[in-house]
Amino acid sequence: MKMKEKGVLAVVSGFSGAGKGTIVSKLINNYDGYALSISATTRAPREGEVDGVHYFYKEHEEFEKMIEQDELYEYARYLDNYYGTPKAFVREQIAAGKDVILEIDVQGALQIKKKYPGVLLVFVTPPSIEELSRRLRGRGTETEEQIQGRLDRARDEAVYMDEYDFILIVEDPETGTRKLHDLIQAVHCRPSMKKAFISDIRAQLDTERGE
Ligand code: 5GP
């Protein structure tokens, strides 16, 4: 009997401007079997945002209770609000066989690795910092000071690049998306993901020998 395989949890981090948002949305839209993790937050919904779609919106006390009860893989505070990754949603999706993608910063990624050792950590980067600056300036939406801020942050994040399982160098979004898909599919081949298959193979061998 073929057992339904559980999904992979993959965290995608990377420099701001590296194109990770684009490749994550292409992955979700172009391939089957993926789900995006939905974070919990205490910030108010923005115009057009929907509870359970963009975020799970929580009261401050509710969020702190989730922290106390260890219901989050990781969390952080930005501008007086909490943001975190609820375990329940990820677990449900993984049990249903979905590969769950989490777009999260380096600190969050390293926190998750402690609580979920099988997690796949992928770091997305452009081929060079020259290219990163070009992409950031090409957006035309930010001041020079904001761009410098992003580059400073990139320097802080680069310190942790070798904690990741894979460094995904994105030349163009299409190739980057396919490479990300291939990396996640490779994780499905790990022995830890194939436990049911392995014991089935062993049982078949035992049967063969008994005949
Ligand atoms: P925004 O309020 O603009 O939706 O998000 C603010 C910041 O929170 C962004 O940098 C976003 O990446 C971060 N963020 C969103 N969800 C999570 C989460 O689950 N965990 C962590 N650590 N950060 C998150």
Side-chain angles (χ1 to χ4, degrees), residues 39-40 43 46 55 74-76 78 83-85 103-105 108:
S39 300
R43 87 147 162 74
R46 293 188 188 124
Y55 283 104
E74 61 76 47
Y75 69 94
Y78 295 103
Y83 293 82
T85 309
E103 212 190 307
I104 215 161
D105 69 358

Side-chain angles (χ1 to χ4, degrees), residues 19 23 45 59 83 87 106 133 138 152 167 183 200 206:
I23 70 168
E59 295 301 326
Y83 293 82
K87 291 180 179 176
V106 169
S133 310
D152 287 344
I167 304 297
L183 289 177
D200 193 35
D206 287 346

Side-chain angles (χ1 to χ4, degrees), residues 4 16 22 84 86 114 128 162-163 169 209:
K4 191 171 169 61
S16 160
T22 309
K114 287 189 202 138
S128 69
D162 40 16
E163 306 276 341
I169 302 170
R209 199 175 47 182

Side-chain angles (χ1 to χ4, degrees), residues 11-28:
V11 170
V12 180
S13 315
F15 303 135
S16 160
K20 64 178 185 302
T22 309
I23 70 168
V24 166
S25 56
K26 276 184 181 291
L27 184 77
I28 307 278

